[in-house]
Amino acid sequence: MIPGDFQPQRPTSRQMVKLGVLGVVALGVFVAIVLGLTFHISAWLGQPVVFARSEGPDQPIAFPHTTHVQELGMDCTFCHRNVEKEAAASVPATGLCMTCHSAVGDDLDEIEKMRSLYEDGRSIHWVRVHRVPDHVHFVHEAHIRYFSEKDGIEPSQVCQTCHGDVKEMEKVKQVETLKMGDCVSCHKENSAPTDCATCHY
Amino acid sequence: MADSQDRKWGMVVDIDRCTGCNGCVVACQSENNIPNNLEEHFNQRRAIQWIRIERYWEGEYPNVKARFIPVMCQQCGNAPCEPVCPVYATYHNEEGLNVQVYNRCIGTRFCANGCPYHVRFFNFWEPEWPESLKNQLNPDVTVRSRGIMEKCSFCVQRIRRSTREGERDEVQVEDGDRALSPACVNACPTTALTFGDFNNDSSQVSMMKEEAMANRGKKEGRGYRLLDNLGTEANVIYLKKVDNSAGAVHGH
C-alpha cells in the first residue's frame, strides 16, 4: 500500500451499535457525577442556611419562648441553669416547669401533656436544634463569662450572639451556621486562642 | 486563657519508682475512651495503648531483674511525626503539645511510621466497647472512628477543663493539681510520673528536670531522654533506675 492510498474503514453496523451504547453509558455516568457533586456541594454549603431559614423542628411540646421570655420576662438562666457553670446549657427537668405549672395554665393542651409526663415520671424528648459539628468541645460557661464581663451585660443577654432572638421565636430555630468559620472569626475578633486543641480534642 | 501561651507541658518519669503495675495504662484507657484491646489485637500488633509499660529482663538466672519503662507520646519539641503529615493533622501548639486533630486526619499513617517511639496508633477498626462499658465513655474526649490516627495528648481535656474552671472560680491552677494532671499521673500509686509546666521555674517538674539534666553524663546524673540521639527534643524526661544491688551481684 502506498501512502495516500489509505481508505478509512466504514464502521460496521455492529460497531455503530457498540459505539452508541458506549456513548449513552458515558453520558449517564457524566450526568450521575454532576448530580452527585451538585448534591454534595449544595448539602455542604447550603444545609445550615436552609436550616436557618426553615421554621425549626416541631417539638413534642410546643413550648413558646415568646410567652415565657417576652411576656413574662423570665431570664434564660432561670431554666437553662447550667449555662453559667458548665459546658452544657442544660434543659430543665419537668419538675422545674411544675413549680409554676402545677398552678398555672390549667386549660391548655400542651401543659396537660407536660403534666401527664411529669406524673408518669417521664422526661420530655426535646428535638435538638443547635448542634456544633462533630469533634468540637464547646463550653457555654467560658463564653458567657467572657462576654458578660467584657461588655458588662447580664449573662442572659449574651445568648443571642449565637442563638438569635429566641424570645421572639414561637418555635426555636437555628440562625447562625455554627460552623468553624463562625467560631474562628469570633475568636479572632476577641483575640481568643485559635489553636486547634482549644476546641478539638 | 491569656497565660496559656507561655506554658510548656512536660513530664518526668522516675523509673526507680515504677513497679510496672500498669495502673497508668488502665487509667489512660478509661480517661481517653480507648477501645478494649482484645488478644487478637495484640497478636496483630494493632492494640492501642497511649501509654504502655515496656518490660525488659536484665541479668542471667538466678539474678534476673524485670525493668519497666512507661512510654507515652514524648511530645517532642522537634517531632518527626509532624512534617510528614500531608493534611496538617498533627502540629505543635504554643503549649509544647504535639496535637493530633482527629477531624483533619485522613489516615495516611505517615506519622506513625515517622515516630521512633511507637506511640502513635491507628484505628484499624470501628471502636467497640462491651455494652456494660458504654456509659463510662468520657464526654470530654472524642471517640475516634475507624481510619484515623490517635496518640497521647497529655490529657489536654483535663488541662483545658482545669484552666477554665480555675478562671471561673478565680483560683490559680497549680502544677501537680489533680484536675490538671493527666490520668496516668493521678493513677500512679508510687508517683513515678510527675506532670507540670517546664516554663514555670518553681514547678516540681522543672526542678526535677533541672536537677536531672544538670548532672547529665555524670555518675550521679539520672536524667535522660528516650532516643535522645535522634534530636527529637522530647518533653518527657526519664530518671534512671538506682540499683543498689548491682554492686553486690558483681561481687564488689
Side-chain angles (χ1 to χ4, degrees):
Chain A
M1 196 162 59
I2 50 163
D5 199 27
F6 176 71
Q7 288 293 318
Q9 239 179 350
R10 304 274 315 163
T12 60
S13 57
R14 202 184 159 77
Q15 279 171 322
M16 292 284 272
V17 170
K18 259 189 190 170
L19 275 171
V21 169
L22 257 176
V24 169
V25 168
L27 200 70
V29 168
F30 178 74
V31 168
I33 288 172
V34 167
L35 281 179
L37 275 178
T38 318
F39 174 75
H40 275 101
I41 292 170
S42 63
W44 174 245
L45 293 176
Q47 179 262 329
V49 182
V50 172
F51 196 25
R53 282 188 196 137
S54 74
E55 277 283 281
D58 281 330
Q59 300 289 353
I61 289 174
F63 173 87
H65 276 88
T66 43
T67 316
H68 291 84
V69 186
Q70 209 171 30
E71 289 172 27
L72 298 172
M74 284 166 69
D75 200 86
C76 307
T77 56
F78 182 78
C79 296
H80 302 290
R81 316 209 118 181
N82 236 7
V83 78
E84 290 173 277
K85 300 180 193 123
E86 279 299 332
S90 77
V91 175
T94 39
L96 190 70
C97 310
M98 288 301 283
T99 51
C100 293
H101 283 298
S102 53
V104 184
D106 279 339
D107 46 350
L108 293 168
D109 289 350
E110 298 298 305
I111 286 166
E112 288 306 325
K113 257 196 248 174
M114 189 272 293
R115 282 177 184 167
S116 70
L117 282 171
Y118 175 76
E119 275 151 26
D120 299 350
R122 287 189 289 154
S123 47
I124 309 169
H125 290 275
W126 299 107
V127 180
R128 190 166 181 162
V129 181
H130 299 89
R131 186 190 285 280
V132 287
D134 289 350
H135 305 282
V136 181
H137 293 272
F138 178 81
V139 180
H140 274 98
E141 182 268 316
H143 294 87
I144 299 279
R145 174 159 45 83
Y146 173 78
F147 281 109
S148 58
E149 276 172 20
K150 188 189 92 171
D151 302 335
I153 52 176
E154 287 293 305
S156 53
Q157 285 172 295
V158 181
C159 310
Q160 54 188 309
T161 315
C162 301
H163 294 287
D165 224 351
V166 176
K167 69 171 184 286
E168 286 177 3
M169 292 181 197
E170 200 65 57
K171 222 194 251 181
V172 178
K173 62 173 186 177
Q174 189 176 329
V175 291
E176 296 288 333
T177 63
L178 300 182
K179 285 198 166 178
M180 197 167 125
D182 286 353
C183 302
V184 172
S185 60
C186 188
H187 268 230
K188 278 181 182 159
E189 276 168 32
N190 293 289
S191 54
T194 48
D195 175 28
C196 308
T198 308
C199 310
H200 301 291
Y201 44 80
Chain B
M1 283 283 169
D3 62 337
S4 67
Q5 305 291 320
D6 38 67
R7 298 188 294 189
K8 186 172 183 237
W9 301 113
M11 202 183 275
V12 175
V13 183
D14 193 343
I15 300 293
D16 196 41
R17 286 169 176 267
C18 180
T19 60
C21 73
N22 274 285
C24 50
V25 180
V26 175
C28 179
Q29 301 275 129
S30 56
E31 169 76 22
N32 291 304
N33 300 340
I34 297 170
N36 282 10
N37 291 318
L38 307 178
E39 191 180 348
E40 73 221 52
H41 298 171
F42 280 101
N43 290 340
Q44 294 174 351
R45 306 286 188 273
R46 288 177 178 185
I48 296 176
Q49 287 185 308
W50 286 10
I51 182 170
R52 65 173 183 270
I53 303 285
E54 287 195 355
R55 186 190 61 192
Y56 297 94
W57 297 110
E58 200 176 274
E60 291 292 322
Y61 180 83
N63 294 318
V64 185
K65 292 199 181 75
R67 302 293 196 213
F68 303 104
I69 306 182
V71 182
M72 75 297 287
C73 173
Q74 307 289 304
Q75 312 286 348
C76 307
N78 181 18
C81 57
E82 286 166 9
V84 293
C85 182
V87 291
Y88 207 56
T90 180
Y91 73 101
H92 224 71
N93 76 357
E94 295 94 336
E95 295 174 49
L97 293 178
N98 177 270
V99 179
Q100 178 72 22
V101 187
Y102 303 125
N103 37 345
R104 272 188 185 163
C105 180
I106 56 169
T108 62
R109 292 186 268 149
F110 294 166
C111 54
N113 292 323
C115 177
Y117 303 103
H118 289 259
V119 290
R120 287 182 156 271
F121 302 94
F122 187 67
N123 283 278
F124 282 93
W125 304 279
E126 211 52 71
E128 274 179 30
W129 287 270
E131 195 57 43
S132 59
L133 287 181
K134 282 193 176 148
N135 288 334
Q136 68 90 45
L137 291 180
N138 185 354
D140 284 345
V141 181
T142 306
V143 173
R144 286 81 54 188
S145 52
R146 200 187 82 168
I148 60 162
M149 195 56 74
E150 63 183 61
K151 67 163 200 71
C152 162
S153 62
F154 266 1
C155 283
V156 65
Q157 73 278 6
R158 298 178 71 89
I159 298 175
R160 292 282 173 270
R161 178 183 274 272
S162 59
T163 310
R164 173 173 64 78
E165 288 181 350
E167 281 171 8
R168 181 190 68 188
D169 305 335
E170 291 170 1
V171 289
Q172 185 67 37
V173 183
E174 303 286 344
D175 279 8
D177 215 317
R178 281 184 76 82
L180 174 80
S181 298
C184 55
V185 175
N186 286 337
C188 185
T190 57
T191 60
L193 307 167
T194 315
F195 177 79
D197 181 6
F198 277 156
N199 277 358
N200 176 3
D201 291 337
S202 58
S203 71
Q204 200 191 348
V205 270
S206 38
M207 287 193 284
M208 286 172 89
K209 181 191 178 187
E210 202 177 322
E211 190 188 327
M213 296 320 237
N215 296 320
R216 267 180 107 193
K218 293 183 204 154
K219 204 183 164 198
E220 66 271 26
R222 294 172 60 210
Y224 68 99
R225 292 188 177 99
L226 289 187
L227 304 176
D228 201 12
N229 55 328
L230 298 178
T232 50
E233 294 164 27
N235 279 322
V236 180
I237 310 278
Y238 286 84
L239 302 181
K240 249 185 258 180
K241 183 129 184 125
V242 182
D243 199 347
N244 292 327
S245 64
V249 172
H250 298 294
H252 289 288

